[in-house]
Each structure stands twice: as C-alpha cells, then as structure tokens.
Amino acid sequence: MKTKILLPQNVFSKILLSELNLDDSIAVEFQPAALIAKKLLKEEYSIGLIPTLDLLTSKDLFVSSKIGVSFNALLSNSYIHFKEGQETIEQIFLKGDVTTNEIILSKILFKEFYDVNVTPTLVKDESSHINDNTLIVGDENYEKELFLNGLSFSEEIIELLDAPYVNYILAGSSENVLKDFTDKFRDNLLNGHTEDYTDLLKGFTQTSLEFISVNIQHIVFDLEDQDLEGIKSLMQLPYFHGILKDMIDIKFI
C-alpha cells in the first residue's frame, strides 16, 4: 500500500516537503495540525508531522529521531501580539492553526517569565480579538507581515528550555513504515536549505520572503542530539507544572 505523509498547512511544512524531494511512492496530504496525530493512530500506512506535545495523548505513536521541524532562534510558526497599554495579562487569545503546543506552552510561558496565570482562549471568529493579547499560529503572520510586530514564540520557548524548540515531530503508528520513510528520504535533508523561496511561497510579501530566507538557517529538519534533548525537555514541562501526572516515554526509532 502507498505510504501517505500528512503535513500541517504552513510555510515550514512546504519547505520541508521541497527538501525531502519525495518520489511517487509517497502521497502528500495537508491537514489542520491538531488532527494529524488522531489520523495517524487509525492509518497504519500514514506518517505525519505532529505538534510535539500531541504525544501526551498519542503516546503509542513511534517518533523519528532524525526528521522534524526544530527552531533554534528568531524564526517561528507562531508570534505573540500584545495589547497596548496594559499593566497585567489575564487572558491570551489563540488563533490560526492552533495545537496542543500553543495551548499548553502559552500558559507555562507566562507563568515562568511573567509570574501570571493566563487563560488561553481559542478564537472562534478569526476577525475578532485583533487588538487583544493574541498568539497567532501559522502563515497569517507572514501573509500580512504580522511577525514584524510580534514576539517570536519559538524564541521564548528556546529561552525557557535552554534548548531548540522542536515544534513538530515526524511520527506514525507503524515502526516499519516510519523507519522505511526515514531511511529512504532523510539524506535529502543533508543538502541544506535553498535561498530563494519565491516560487514555493506564492502570496507572501517580499518582506516576509526576505525574512524567511535570511533566517532559514535557524530551522533544522534533520534532527541532531540537541534537538532530541529539546524534545525531551519540552515533554517534561507539563509534568513539572502539574498538567501531567506521569512522564511520557517517547518511542524513538
């Protein structure tokens, strides 16, 4: 049966896909990031990029130790936008392709750095709360140049962990399917990033394209030891903050 890879609909998935240089043996499907882990549990011949903290509820999935989406500096898939003139923060609204990562980590982040207990709230109307404290997830940050006035979520998590922020991990319910895919395509990632994404990222402004091109060096797809340590540190945060009762054993291959 043909292997299928499920990817979140964002700029970094598209760049990863272009660098993997897949052949006709792999079918590609884009999905909301929050749904991918659930689909993988039901589809033996599917693999996919899932938000790292989805392992909290999908611990039976196998995880590639070699492929993922890891940020180590300014570049980010999410940006925090603050309301002007406030003295304290009680609520943060989440909009875009929101996942477990943003819901859990935003709460931990504000407690650790600002000693405030915020309530993360999903935005139902995409046009609302634009002037409130908002964490925007996904391409809207680059399509509308919102990143220029936002705080890099990745950079904040990196500081919190003192390790890279692995936003997405490659996972699957079949150890063999995941291993075969990794063995076949991982070496394609060793060629490094290209410099021009104009054709790949149609619809982005020139400012956004230049920002991504300049900072693409700060994203890693072929995971190294420091990225794996970042994954482990990230998974420990919910436990240390009392969100999780037991630690999760990650089934790396």
Side-chain angles (χ1 to χ4, degrees):
M1 184 176 289
K2 197 170 187 177
T3 299
K4 181 166 60 177
I5 183 168
L6 307 177
L7 299 171
Q9 182 73 46
N10 65 51
V11 50
F12 304 110
S13 293
K14 293 175 183 176
I15 294 174
L16 170 61
L17 184 61
S18 71
E19 295 184 9
L20 281 170
N21 195 24
L22 303 180
D23 58 30
D24 291 339
S25 68
I26 309 296
V28 178
E29 187 176 299
F30 288 94
Q31 292 280 343
L35 301 181
I36 294 177
K38 295 177 182 177
K39 285 181 172 289
L40 295 181
L41 290 169
K42 299 176 183 178
E43 301 178 8
E44 180 182 355
Y45 289 94
S46 292
I47 59 171
L49 278 182
I50 67 169
T52 305
L53 290 184
D54 273 11
L55 287 179
L56 298 179
T57 53
S58 304
K59 58 185 178 182
D60 291 333
L61 291 174
F62 292 95
V63 177
S64 173
S65 61
K66 297 179 179 179
I67 300 176
V69 178
S70 177
F71 296 99
N72 58 38
L74 182 63
L75 201 61
S76 182
N77 189 48
S78 307
Y79 287 84
I80 304 171
H81 303 268
F82 290 104
K83 181 180 180 180
E84 295 183 4
Q86 60 187 338
E87 295 182 359
T88 187
I89 300 173
E90 296 181 351
Q91 191 170 32
I92 185 165
F93 293 94
L94 311 179
K95 64 178 296 191
D97 195 17
V98 178
T99 71
T100 309
N101 280 30
E102 292 80 34
I103 295 171
I104 293 178
L105 294 178
S106 61
K107 193 172 181 65
I108 292 175
L109 190 66
F110 280 92
K111 182 62 178 177
E112 285 284 336
F113 285 169
Y114 307 107
D115 195 28
V116 293
N117 294 308
V118 300
T119 302
T121 304
L122 290 174
V123 172
K124 295 181 180 179
D125 180 0
E126 286 294 304
S127 63
S128 63
H129 302 292
I130 56 175
N131 295 317
D132 288 313
N133 300 309
T134 310
L135 176 57
I136 300 178
V137 187
D139 287 356
E140 184 180 358
N141 287 294
Y142 298 109
E143 291 168 346
K144 300 179 181 178
E145 296 186 1
L146 301 178
F147 73 93
L148 293 171
N149 298 313
L151 181 66
S152 168
F153 190 66
S154 292
E155 202 167 35
E156 294 296 289
I157 300 301
I158 291 164
E159 185 176 347
L160 180 63
L161 297 174
D162 196 24
Y165 172 43
V166 183
N167 200 156
Y168 298 99
I169 50 178
L170 188 67
S173 58
S174 168
E175 181 178 6
N176 290 334
V177 173
L178 183 61
K179 185 178 186 303
D180 288 346
F181 179 91
T182 302
D183 290 346
K184 185 173 182 179
F185 297 107
R186 190 255 182 166
D187 285 351
N188 292 343
L189 299 176
L190 304 181
N191 298 323
H193 304 304
T194 60
E195 295 182 358
D196 186 2
Y197 298 102
T198 305
D199 292 336
L200 185 62
L201 307 177
K202 288 181 168 56
F204 280 24
T205 67
Q206 189 61 34
T207 300
S208 294
L209 285 171
E210 290 174 0
F211 177 79
I212 292 169
S213 295
V214 167
N215 289 282
I216 196 65
Q217 60 183 311
H218 299 304
I219 187 172
V220 170
F221 297 136
D222 53 315
L223 302 182
E224 300 175 351
D225 289 345
Q226 62 183 2
D227 302 300
L228 300 184
E229 288 303 313
I231 293 173
K232 293 174 184 176
S233 297
L234 192 67
M235 294 298 296
Q236 291 170 352
L237 279 179
Y239 173 77
F240 290 142
H241 283 263
I243 298 171
L244 195 68
K245 290 184 179 180
D246 300 303
M247 297 287 286
I248 300 292
D249 289 327
I250 305 172
K251 298 163 71 173
F252 282 120
I253 64 162

